[in-house]
Amino acid sequence: MLLLLAIPVMTPLPAQESDEAALTGTLHLVWGDPQQDGDPRYTVLLTDEDGVMHPLTVDARDESLVASLIRSNGQRVTVRTRTTTMPRLLAGANAGVTAPTSRELTTLVSVGNSFTTAKLTTPAWAVTARPYAVILCKFSDIATEPLPRQRYVDMYANAPGGTDAFFREASRGRLTMEGTRVFGWYTLPKPRADYTDAAGEARLSLMATDCLATADADVDFSQFGGIGTHYNSRIGCCSWGGSSTVSLDGPSRNMPFMWNMDWARSGTVAHEAGHSFGLPHSSGPYGAVYDSQWDVMSSASGGSYLNADFGRLGSQFMGAYKDRLGLIPDSAKVVLTTGRWSGVIEPHSRAAGRNPQLIVLPLASSRSNIWMTIEARQRVGTDRSIPSEGVLLATVDNGRSEPAQVVDVDGNGDTNDPGAVWTVGERYEDPVRGVVMTVDSLTANGPAITVERTRNGSGINATLARFARSGTSVAYAASDTTLRRDSVQVLATGSWAITNTAIPSWLQLFRRSGMGNGWVVYGIRPSVASLGRSVTLLQLPTPGGLSPQQFSIELGVTSATAPDAVLWSRRGQRITLNANGMASNVDTVRLQLTGSWNTATWSMTASSNIQATDGSGLTFTTRSGTGSALTRVRRALRQTAGLSIDTLQVTVTGPAVQTLLLVDTVEYVAITNTVTLGTRRGALSVSLGTPPQFDSVQVRLSNSGATWTASRRRDAQLMRASGFDGDWLIWTRPPNTVIVSIDTITVQSSDGGTARFVDTLTVRDAPVRVVLSRTGGSRTVTLGRLTAVDSVMVGILGLAGASQTWTANSGSPSLVLHRRDAFIGAATGARWNFVRFSRDLTMLAPGRYIDTIRVNLPGAPTAPALFIDTTTVTAPSVVAGDADVNGTVNAADATTVLRSLVQLPVSSRANVRTGGDANCDGMITVADAVILLQIDAGVVPATNCVGRPGS
């Protein structure tokens, strides 16, 4: 048999950025996801025509490059690479045996046709089984097995908590892992250290090669559509998911692949399996990749609790990613470019196929791959722990490393709060994108909505966005092959994007879009620019047809054959500043000495109003040095209006003496600036032990283009301490001790305005007693859900209760208390903590169930605090064809009908008499099973009788 992966034998190259080379082969992008909070990692495995796999690192900050790699995943490409030394944070997992020196992928040069039969992201994934070969491997020096083999079998099974069950439910049976088998444990031939590079990261290709080789005698890899490897110890940051070339048991082919470390459980496996399908991350709009509990491709474990072995499992894929995999048929989508659409949108987690599941709104843009999606989400099945039910909106931009991002209108940094979901009576209006959506009512099949395209939207750009400075000017020799990185800040009230379609070859954009205040990151490569002066303008669109905001990048390149030059990298500028003196003007200039002037000495003198600094924080009126230097110029504060003309002079002594002069003309404008604070509480009296007291006030600025910051004198904790005009200042005061606390909060605008207010908190002692955030809860659920999860906050009032512990318990066998990682019979805590509990609905028949949670505090004079939980379980409505009464009509219903006909046991929940009558002829026969199989195979549509409520 052939080996899985071929590791190239590479002579260690010197760590210099100028060593460039082109490689051609099939691109496999692999995503790395840390166990704890952190940033995702990326690495590329490029397989050339000889079957040699080249591991390449990727700079995670280069969003444009990452996005292009996502679009080209699984295809034949040509890339440009270089030998470089990467920081550990940015190094990929296959940094090579000579790491930290490694091979970095810098540019995607061209994309051809993939040598595989189909890309991972085509609808070929739909209506199919993808069995995985799951291989369990142990390092030769570590004998521990994190879980017994059977637990991995369960983890991939078609059962609650199993990955197969997750994908079946998320796809309504169109994508399964049926046929998946678990092999091992096998012992690898090398110790853990041999699979770890010098940067401490995993050597993925070597791990995969050895792990599959040890299992080769037992596994026929030609029978599987993907491979998931698990290891008994962790290496580096992450578990990984993507694709790889496999040559075992057949010709070389592109296969989905996962590298799961010892800590990986169901949520991580589902997340990495999504990457192996070719799915990128999703997120909220705040630049935090793992912040959204609306999609397993963001928060892998932000969903329902399973058990201590399986961990938590994230919610289903967002509609955009289901569509990316071909799991939503065209008949269940509405593409709205103009006009209005009204109707019911069904939650795709349990859609019956009668109404659309996804609304797609293409957005006008300089690029054609930007759109918005609208979907409905309901707390059902694996979606039962989504933040809330309602209508979810997302923007999808294939130019981002996280293409699908949830729309969150309140801009508070929390993607999972009510600002990200719309319910009955609520309205979303976006004049920039030209979209208006209202939720009109809630029907049995989902929310009824109206969507209107008011005009062709202008893309994803913010209503207010501007560059923090107007431009930059730099100069280099033509022989300089170094990629010179720089950035410019964007001040924005919402989402923004650079709209340039033509970027010169010497300029590379690493990050070109964002949300709120952010940075455009770019790099300049002088060696590919023309001699002389080159200028390009980066553009930010503005609303209402106004001229776009521009940032000028000026590059001067001197001749490589005559490098002798003394270059002053800025010619001077004229700017306008506020005469109130609250902000000083800071800029950067560069003295570039080349050729025979390379070691020339120089001295710099500044006039009275400006100072020069070397970046260390010290300032100089006169400064000197040798060779090229970077100098920051800071203008002194001024309080009066008028013109100020200042100079910065440098004298260079080398083969001759040259004098260079930089002249800045500044116009100071007097502006009347005011800060106004809205209605505020100002004073509060509470008992010791109550929850932290939050307060807020709206900040209004007379200059709408300014920003504001807040500071406090004492113990107020500022939760939001900066913003634009109209934003809210938020703070909290924890009542931790008996005190009268007076604090002063000062709000200062960037253009000189100031406002202050006094916040008074009186904390008084109180008798010791237990209090609850609420005294009861109620819910109505449909029979068939597995669990209903809820919580209540418990607190202890009074100084004497500060060190005491409360205990909560319930006598009901179906109501269990639990902490994060295990079920327990009783919960304990101190001060303000949550009692979390779940009700096992599989134990209950239809009816009303009332149970009590008692919270006791030893020695407290009051009786136990009581929480009354009421759950009403209703029988599901029986739908013709839904014999197993799980809300969908598929082949499983045909199996239930056939088992009933031959008198084999069926699920206690099944209703074959009513639900199994697919043709509504009043009889249960083999004909009903045949109809159900034809519907599942797509031979006949689910029309006429099937799908109607049964009698």
Side-chain angles (χ1 to χ4, degrees), residues 170-354:
S171 65
R172 298 184 63 237
R174 297 169 65 87
L175 174 61
T176 79
M177 300 181 77
E178 183 176 354
T180 293
R181 295 182 59 192
V182 177
F183 302 89
W185 291 88
Y186 298 100
T187 300
L188 296 169
K190 303 178 184 66
R192 180 182 180 275
D194 286 5
Y195 299 99
T196 308
D197 66 21
E201 296 296 342
R203 298 171 64 185
L204 297 183
S205 55
L206 180 60
M207 291 170 67
T209 299
D210 287 356
C211 185
L212 269 62
T214 60
D216 192 18
D218 299 330
V219 184
D220 181 359
F221 290 98
S222 66
Q223 302 302 306
F224 296 95
I227 296 173
T229 57
H230 287 257
Y231 303 91
N232 67 331
S233 182
R234 67 198 65 194
I235 297 179
C237 65
C238 305
S239 287
W240 299 78
S243 61
S244 183
T245 299
V246 176
S247 301
L248 291 167
D249 302 322
S252 294
R253 58 203 181 275
N254 187 12
M255 290 187 72
F257 211 102
M258 295 184 284
W259 295 258
N260 291 300
M261 300 303 162
D262 60 334
W263 48 265
R265 297 296 185 265
S266 289
T268 300
V269 170
H271 183 96
E272 302 307 338
H275 285 322
S276 77
F277 297 163
L279 291 180
H281 290 116
S282 65
S283 70
Y286 303 111
V289 175
Y290 304 109
D291 67 337
S292 171
Q293 295 177 15
W294 297 100
D295 187 355
V296 71
M297 296 314 297
S298 179
S299 177
S301 57
S304 56
Y305 183 87
L306 299 174
N307 58 43
D309 287 340
F310 284 170
R312 291 180 179 270
L313 180 61
S315 57
Q316 295 188 18
F317 300 127
M318 292 174 61
Y321 284 179
K322 289 190 177 186
D323 188 38
R324 190 183 182 105
L325 292 178
L327 301 180
I328 299 179
D330 290 342
S331 60
K333 289 185 295 185
V334 172
V335 179
L336 187 66
T337 56
T338 60
R340 176 194 297 258
W341 180 87
S342 295
V344 173
I345 179 170
E346 293 189 347
H348 49 78
S349 58
R350 60 174 304 174
R354 292 186 294 273

Side-chain angles (χ1 to χ4, degrees), residues 716-752:
Q717 299 176 9
L718 301 181
M719 311 302 292
R720 182 173 186 177
S722 62
F724 288 85
D725 174 43
D727 288 343
W728 290 78
L729 165 65
I730 305 173
W731 70 96
T732 181
R733 303 285 298 279
N736 294 330
T737 186
V738 176
I739 192 175
V740 176
S741 176
I742 302 175
D743 203 350
T744 300
I745 298 179
T746 301
V747 181
Q748 193 170 54
S749 68
S750 58
D751 54 10

Side-chain angles (χ1 to χ4, degrees), residues 110 140 150 206 232 235 265 280-281 293 309 403 462 470 487-488 490 494 536 670 702 712 906 935:
S110 64
S140 64
Q150 183 58 42
L206 180 60
N232 67 331
I235 297 179
R265 297 296 185 265
H281 290 116
Q293 295 177 15
D309 287 340
S470 59
S487 59
V488 58
V490 174
T536 192
S702 60
R712 46 77 169 159
V906 297
I935 291 171

Side-chain angles (χ1 to χ4, degrees), residues 688 768 796-806 829-831 857-858:
L688 180 67
V768 177
I796 305 175
L797 298 184
L799 184 61
S803 60
Q804 296 192 40
T805 300
W806 51 260
R831 281 294 187 186
L857 182 67

Side-chain angles (χ1 to χ4, degrees), residues 63-64 66-68 70-71 280-284 318 320-321 324 360-373 394-407 433 458-461 495-499 511-515:
E63 184 175 41
S64 176
V66 171
S68 66
I70 293 172
R71 296 193 297 271
H281 290 116
S282 65
S283 70
M318 292 174 61
Y321 284 179
R324 190 183 182 105
V360 180
L361 309 174
L363 300 178
S365 172
S366 58
R367 306 192 306 277
S368 61
N369 56 351
I370 300 177
W371 63 95
M372 177 178 281
T373 61
T395 60
V396 186
D397 181 355
N398 283 332
R400 298 188 297 223
S401 52
E402 298 85 46
Q405 295 184 357
V406 174
V407 173
R433 298 183 175 99
S458 59
I460 62 170
N461 305 294
S495 57
W496 52 268
I498 301 297
T499 58
R511 182 170 291 274
R512 60 188 301 161
S513 61
M515 180 74 181

Side-chain angles (χ1 to χ4, degrees), residues 466-733:
R466 61 185 176 87
F467 291 108
R469 53 194 177 107
S470 59
T472 186
S473 178
V474 293
Y476 302 103
S479 58
D480 188 348
T481 60
T482 303
L483 181 65
R484 304 287 182 173
R485 296 179 185 267
D486 205 346
S487 59
V488 58
Q489 188 178 25
V490 174
L491 304 177
T493 58
S495 57
W496 52 268
I498 301 297
T499 58
N500 297 63
T501 55
I503 301 294
S505 59
W506 52 266
L507 180 65
Q508 185 174 356
L509 292 182
F510 297 121
R511 182 170 291 274
R512 60 188 301 161
S513 61
M515 180 74 181
N517 293 350
W519 294 84
V520 174
V521 182
Y522 61 89
I524 295 174
R525 196 175 294 278
S527 59
V528 300
S530 302
L531 293 178
R533 177 175 175 267
S534 300
V535 179
T536 192
L537 298 175
L538 300 184
Q539 296 187 341
L540 276 176
T542 54
L546 300 177
S547 299
Q549 292 283 319
Q550 295 181 335
F551 177 77
S552 169
I553 301 177
E554 180 179 4
L555 171 64
V557 178
T558 60
S559 172
T561 58
D564 287 354
V566 180
L567 299 175
W568 197 224
S569 66
R570 199 173 61 124
R571 299 170 301 157
Q573 61 178 346
R574 181 185 179 113
I575 59 177
T576 301
L577 289 179
N578 177 12
N580 290 9
M582 293 307 300
S584 58
N585 169 243
V586 181
D587 209 337
T588 302
V589 294
R590 183 176 181 85
L591 175 64
Q592 182 75 34
L593 306 180
T594 63
S596 59
W597 291 83
N598 188 51
T599 58
T601 60
W602 52 266
S603 62
M604 185 182 300
T605 303
S607 58
S608 59
N609 286 330
I610 58 176
Q611 297 174 309
T613 173
D614 61 357
S616 64
L618 301 176
T619 58
F620 303 87
T621 302
T622 301
R623 185 178 168 227
S624 60
T626 302
S628 301
L630 188 69
T631 299
R632 290 190 176 92
V633 178
R634 183 176 63 199
R635 183 171 296 280
L637 303 181
R638 174 169 172 165
Q639 303 294 334
T640 57
L643 288 177
S644 176
I645 302 175
D646 298 290
T647 60
L648 189 66
Q649 176 178 300
V650 61
T651 302
V652 185
T653 303
V657 177
Q658 290 195 27
T659 300
L660 303 170
L661 193 66
L662 179 72
V663 180
D664 269 358
T665 301
V666 176
E667 179 182 3
Y668 288 90
V669 179
I671 302 176
T672 301
N673 307 302
T674 59
V675 178
T676 305
L677 303 179
T679 304
R680 58 188 183 276
R681 188 171 58 193
L684 181 67
S685 178
V686 298
S687 296
L688 180 67
T690 54
Q693 300 300 299
F694 287 86
D695 206 348
S696 62
V697 64
Q698 190 176 31
V699 180
R700 301 310 307 261
L701 307 177
S702 60
N703 178 6
S704 61
T707 60
W708 58 266
T709 56
S711 60
R712 46 77 169 159
R713 289 191 60 184
R714 292 175 59 85
D715 60 347
Q717 299 176 9
L718 301 181
M719 311 302 292
R720 182 173 186 177
S722 62
F724 288 85
D725 174 43
D727 288 343
W728 290 78
L729 165 65
I730 305 173
W731 70 96
T732 181
R733 303 285 298 279

